[in-house]
Amino acid sequence: MILCAGEALIDMLPRESTLGEDAYAPHAGGAVFNTAIALGRLGAKPAFYSGLSDDFFGELLKSKLDESGVDASLVVTADRPCTVAFVKLVDGHATYAFYDENTAGRMLTPADLPALPDAVQALFFGGISLPVEPCGEAYEALCAREAATRVVMMDPNIRPTFIKDEARYRARMEHMLSLCDIVKVSDEDLLWIMGEGDIEQHIQTLLTKGPSLICLTEGSEGVRGFTKNGIVKVAANKVDVADTVGAGDTFNAGLLASLQASGKLTKDAIKDLDDETIRAALAMGSKAASITVSRAGANPPWSHEM
């Protein structure tokens, strides 16, 4: 089982009404939520941990988890509002306005952390749940508690406008990155974390701090996987792009699902992955992401579509 720990929210996606007016349609979303959904659709038997509202938005999120085969038994349900993100699309690329104060997800604390079932072999973190308090502290504590015995992957998915306490968030990033086995970053993420400089040199530096595999996604250029032994590159799948919502989240799921299927999602195996295993994982992540971007919104593929 792969546990995805982080935000779930409602994406309000731009639409046009039957009268030709600007409108918004509610869709279940959130970076970590999307990864859990994608894992479920790919048959990886994921679980999800977050704080969810007991309102109708929370029920919508729970129903979407159930539809995709995601175990939501660890979710903390609270009498608080749901996080909402209004999405603006420009040439298929998404920008967001988040409404997250005092929400069920935001107010999760370290005291809410559950004991994990033995079946959990890996944890996934990331998204907007890490730079905000108190939930960021809770996820950091969960990562620190479990990293010694379970594989940890993180996609920082940096959104600078969401970061209110940069010093605290940078300290959290440094701590969690040192605990990770797998990290997925874009070049923008990496430059924010490491500062200006050469991308490949930054990755080599980051490899000395803890991670065994760093995946650098480069859009239409594909993705590269970096380890202590070298670099594996996989080209992007060429598709007509509807929008990029959920693309990186789906890549994360494809990568993890491939490693799980190959039997390599263990603390020992992840430290010395061979090129063939990495290439297969990158290819599955890339393929899954290409299907997601070919259709509107975060709509990851099912295994039969792969």
Side-chain angles (χ1 to χ4, degrees), residues 35-81:
T35 297
I37 293 291
L39 280 166
R41 293 184 179 187
L42 293 173
K45 293 182 170 49
F48 183 66
Y49 174 66
S50 186
L52 294 184
S53 175
D54 61 2
D55 66 10
F56 60 92
F57 279 149
E59 289 303 313
L60 171 62
L61 291 166
K62 287 181 180 178
S63 71
K64 294 301 181 183
L65 292 169
D66 184 63
E67 288 171 10
S68 293
V70 181
D71 182 344
S73 61
L74 297 177
V75 161
V76 177
T77 302
D79 182 18
R80 293 182 179 275

Side-chain angles (χ1 to χ4, degrees), residues 7-13 25-30 33 55-62 64 82-87 96-99:
E7 80 273 8
L9 53 85
I10 298 298
D11 280 325
M12 301 297 287
L13 299 179
H27 288 261
F33 177 91
D55 66 10
F56 60 92
F57 279 149
E59 289 303 313
L60 171 62
L61 291 166
K62 287 181 180 178
K64 294 301 181 183
C82 181
T83 301
V84 176
F86 284 84
V87 183
Y96 301 83
F98 292 98
Y99 296 85

Side-chain angles (χ1 to χ4, degrees), residues 43 89 120 179 184 233 296:
L89 296 174
V120 175
L179 298 170
K184 193 273 275 184
K233 180 174 176 61

Side-chain angles (χ1 to χ4, degrees), residues 233-251:
K233 180 174 176 61
V234 169
N237 295 270
K238 303 300 181 183
V239 296
D240 292 327
V241 176
D243 63 53
T244 60
V245 178
D249 312 325
T250 307
F251 171 85

